[in-house]
Structure formats: structure tokens, C-alpha cells
């Protein structure tokens, strides 16, 4: 019988998110070097902050699905389905201000879309938006961690930790 500890979930999710982030940054950087001429980033610290914030969001979301998957294995599968939905709705493929208001209001509930839009604003000198709401992202990250910790506390007797 293998025992999964809380720290195991946290470390595993951190490693996965770190590798994912590194791959994305490397591919994006390579594309910018290859295709951009006379290019500069408006606010590098804002871009780095948005990458770190997406990393923390990924860890906290993975923490929820990791803890939930220990209790009910189907939750892990749901997590694998939610991740692509996060990516499609993140705003990488479209600009939130350019889509109809009904879709934009639905998109508001996906925290990654706020991070991507904030990053875009920090990246490009002439891009401005009112869509990015980092307070909402902070709340989601805090709620993810709080929910996972509460679930662990109340379900400690039912799972092997």
C-alpha cells in the first residue's frame, strides 16, 4: 500500500507546472527571436510576474484536483479535461476586448484569461485593456488552496496521507 503525503501532491504539481512554464517560455521566446524585428518588451517585470502568477494558479488548481483525486479518482480525470479548457479559454488565441460582451462575461470566470491579458498588456507597448483583473486571480488561487486544505482536514481519515 503506497502512501501519498500532502507534500507529495504539492511537489509533483510544482514540477509539472515548472516544466510546462519553461517549455512555454522557451517556445514563445524562440518565436519572438525568429519572427520579431526591432522588438522590445514594455515591462519585463510585469511579464515575469504574470508567468509566476500562472505558475501559482497551475499549482493551486492541481492541488485541488490532486487532493480530490485521492478521495474520488474520477476527479483526477476531470482535472485532465479542465486543463485544456483553461488553455482554450485563456485568451492566447483571441483578445478578450475583441469578442462579443456575452462571451467576454463568460470568459471572466476563467482566471488564466486575466493573467494572459495582463501579460499581453505588459508585453506590448500599445495594448491596453480593462479586462485583466488580478484581484480575481488572487481570490481564485487563495480559494483553491483553502478548499484543498479544508478538504484534506475533513477527509484525512478517508484517504492515505
Amino acid at each position: 500500500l503506497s502512501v501519498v503525503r500532502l507534500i507529495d501532491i504539492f511537489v509533483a504539481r510544482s514540477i509539472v507546472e515548472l516544466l510546462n512554464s519553461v517549455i512555454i517560455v522557451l517556445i514563445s521566446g524562440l518565436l519572438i527571436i525568429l519572427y520579431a524585428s526591432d522588438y522590445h518588451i514594455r515591462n519585463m517585470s510585469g511579464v515575469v510576474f504574470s508567468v509566476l502568477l500562472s505558475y501559482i494558479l497551475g499549482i493551486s488548481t492541481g492541488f485541488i484536483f490532486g487532493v480530490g483525486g485521492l478521495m474520488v479518482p474520477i476527479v483526477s480525470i476531470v482535472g485532465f479535461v479542465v486543463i485544456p479548457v483553461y488553455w482554450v479559454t485563456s485568451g492566447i488565441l483571441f483578445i478578450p476586448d475583441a469578442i462579443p460582451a456575452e462571451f467576454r462575461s463568460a470568459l471572466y470566470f476563467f482566471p488564466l484569461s486575466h493573467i494572459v491579458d495582463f501579460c499581453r498588456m505588459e508585453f506590448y507597448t500599445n495594448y491596453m485593456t480593462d479586462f485583466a483583473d488580478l484581484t480575481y486571480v488572487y481570490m481564485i488561487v487563495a480559494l483553491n488552496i483553502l478548499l484543498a486544505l479544508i478538504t484534506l482536514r475533513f477527509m484525512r481519515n478517508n484517504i492515505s496521507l
Side-chain angles (χ1 to χ4, degrees):
L1 181 71
S2 65
V3 176
V4 177
R5 297 171 303 174
L6 174 62
I7 193 71
D8 296 337
I9 297 170
F10 185 73
V11 169
R13 189 61 197 186
S14 298
I15 291 170
V16 168
E17 281 302 317
L18 179 63
L19 292 174
N20 191 23
S21 299
V22 167
I23 289 170
I24 291 169
V25 168
L26 289 176
I27 290 172
S28 300
L30 181 65
L31 290 173
I32 288 170
I33 290 169
L34 289 175
Y35 294 108
S37 60
D38 191 32
Y39 184 80
H40 71 283
I41 296 173
R42 184 178 79 116
N43 182 3
M44 183 57 114
S45 61
V47 172
V48 170
F49 176 73
S50 64
V51 170
L52 289 174
L53 190 57
S54 67
Y55 177 69
I56 292 168
L57 176 68
I59 290 171
S60 71
T61 304
F63 197 49
I64 288 287
F65 290 114
V67 170
L70 285 175
M71 294 180 303
V72 181
I74 193 78
V75 172
S76 295
I77 295 169
V78 170
F80 289 122
V81 171
V82 167
I83 290 170
V85 171
Y86 256 27
W87 280 104
V88 169
T89 61
S90 68
I92 291 174
L93 303 175
F94 54 86
I95 296 174
D97 288 339
I99 61 175
E102 301 84 30
F103 295 117
R104 191 172 44 250
S105 61
L107 187 66
Y108 186 85
F109 293 101
F110 293 93
L112 188 57
S113 63
H114 295 275
I115 297 171
V116 168
D117 209 41
F118 175 77
C119 184
R120 188 179 285 127
M121 192 168 53
E122 298 299 304
F123 217 88
Y124 300 108
T125 31
N126 57 356
Y127 181 77
M128 297 308 269
T129 183
D130 293 328
F131 180 78
D133 182 3
L134 295 186
T135 304
Y136 175 71
V137 177
Y138 302 147
M139 286 185 347
I140 293 298
V141 168
L143 287 173
N144 281 350
I145 294 170
L146 181 66
L147 181 61
L149 291 174
I150 288 171
T151 303
L152 272 176
R153 177 74 175 127
F154 288 113
M155 301 306 285
R156 189 168 293 269
N157 297 335
N158 297 335
I159 56 178
S160 300
L161 286 178

